[in-house]
Amino acid sequence: NDRIQFLSTIGLVYLMFSAGLEVDINQFMKVRARALVFGIITFIFPQLMGMGLGYILGLDWLGMILLGSAFASHTLIAFPILTKLGVTRNEAVAVTIGATVLTDIGAFIVLAVVLGAKSGGGISVIYFIELLVMLAIFTTVIIFGLPRLGKLVFQKLSGRALEFQFVIVVLFIAAFTAELIGVHEVVGAFLAGLAVNSMLPRHSPVTGHVLFIGESFFIPVFLLYSGLITDPLTFLKSPQTIIVALGVTIVAYVSKFIAAWLTAKIYKYTRSEFWTVYGLSHAQAAVTIPTLVIGLETGLFDATLFNAAILMILLTSITSPLVVQRFAPDLQTAATDDGQVPLFGRV
């Protein structure tokens, strides 16, 4: 009912916030040129192939674009394996992580434009310009203003509870403001995660407490809600759902494989690096699930496509760690760290 849906919305905000916290901006700056190339390739191919699949399925233009963005992003589900193996400094890994920044932000921009066009009755040049200007101002304030504010606040405040409350307030104000300017709340939550990531250490007690609340309750409620609106019996009742699921799965695997293969050829990565990049970049979860839920709730996707895509997410979430576990142990890592200075001094 409405209560579960409300709690799941909070879980969605937490999920996108944690996705922003996972992005290492400093590591992205080290390999930004190559990450930019891979980010563009691994965004464009899935976006176009997803739009082609949407055309075959008979979706309208907005549905085709949104479906493409669901494939364009990726989730670093297998990243803890790399941390455990101690190979996160490998260039191919760093490039993949940097590309995640670009694909996630690109997918969110597409989501914002599609939702704005859906609510506004269509895509017009004036609307598109207004949305991008508002989004640019909002992003600038969050990314550059919030870390400075946070530094002042954390210097003045003392006490774990106050620090926790500050991050919570920042998270939900960012999500609410994003909705006010005409984009989805997940955009604000993701940007808030990037901002908090730049002002606090990755494993700080404050972010640990914030994520504990989300990961132990709200995010599971969101996943529960996603399961509640999924009908697994359609795979038995409707052969069409199986066909659509097969198409969705093929697009997810093939598009990311092509992007990883091209990047490996351009930068002459080893076989292990290529498969590790592919293993990291083909998992769909953090951005794809909310995109599918939003598409279903707005009527851009039907139940058949939603159920088929959920199956694809399940499969890619299983195969991604398996591929990384197989090939990541053979990666070569840099002997020393460059000691890059953060964009802002972390508290």
Side-chain angles (χ1 to χ4, degrees), residues 250-317:
I250 290 174
V251 169
Y253 281 109
V254 173
S255 61
K256 291 296 184 179
F257 182 89
I258 293 173
W261 182 81
L262 286 175
T263 305
K265 288 295 182 183
I266 293 172
Y267 297 120
K268 296 181 174 57
Y269 288 150
T270 64
R271 177 172 174 269
S272 296
E273 288 175 330
F274 156 65
W275 282 106
T276 301
V277 169
Y278 173 63
L280 275 176
S281 62
H282 80 258
Q284 305 286 340
V287 182
T288 308
I289 292 177
T291 300
L292 294 172
V293 172
I294 293 166
L296 182 64
E297 291 176 345
T298 55
L300 293 173
F301 299 157
D302 58 15
T304 299
L305 178 57
F306 178 83
N307 293 325
I310 290 294
L311 178 62
M312 175 271 293
I313 291 172
L314 175 63
L315 292 175
T316 58
S317 298

Side-chain angles (χ1 to χ4, degrees), residues 20-32:
L21 284 177
E22 287 181 5
V23 175
D24 192 336
I25 297 178
N26 299 319
Q27 194 168 22
F28 169 70
M29 294 303 294
K30 297 178 186 178
V31 291
R32 55 187 178 273

Side-chain angles (χ1 to χ4, degrees), residues 100-260:
T100 304
V101 182
L102 301 173
T103 58
D104 286 358
I105 293 176
F108 282 129
I109 291 175
V110 171
L111 178 63
V113 172
V114 169
L115 289 177
K118 177 70 175 176
S119 60
I123 298 178
S124 65
V125 176
I126 296 177
Y127 166 78
F128 188 74
I129 293 174
E130 288 178 351
L131 180 63
L132 287 183
V133 169
M134 292 293 291
L135 192 59
I137 295 173
F138 175 64
T139 302
T140 302
V141 171
I142 294 293
I143 297 297
F144 295 99
L146 186 57
R148 291 184 167 90
L149 174 64
K151 198 169 184 179
L152 293 175
V153 170
F154 282 114
Q155 287 173 349
K156 302 294 182 182
L157 291 180
S158 60
R160 196 65 55 80
L162 291 175
E163 296 169 347
F164 169 81
Q165 290 160 5
F166 172 76
V167 175
I168 288 291
V169 169
V170 162
L171 167 60
F172 285 101
I173 286 181
F176 180 65
T177 306
E179 199 168 23
L180 286 181
I181 66 173
V183 299
H184 200 272
E185 57 262 19
V186 296
V187 179
F190 181 75
L191 292 174
L194 291 178
V196 172
N197 184 19
S198 68
M199 69 181 175
L200 289 175
R202 177 176 289 268
H203 301 293
S204 72
V206 182
T207 54
H209 292 327
V210 174
L211 288 179
F212 174 78
I213 298 295
E215 292 173 353
S216 61
F217 181 68
F218 289 111
I219 293 177
V221 171
F222 168 71
L223 297 175
L224 174 65
Y225 175 71
S226 301
L228 286 172
I229 60 179
T230 304
D231 184 9
L233 291 179
T234 56
F235 292 101
L236 301 177
K237 296 177 181 178
S238 173
Q240 182 185 359
T241 305
I242 299 177
I243 296 173
V244 174
L246 183 62
V248 169
T249 304
I250 290 174
V251 169
Y253 281 109
V254 173
S255 61
K256 291 296 184 179
F257 182 89
I258 293 173

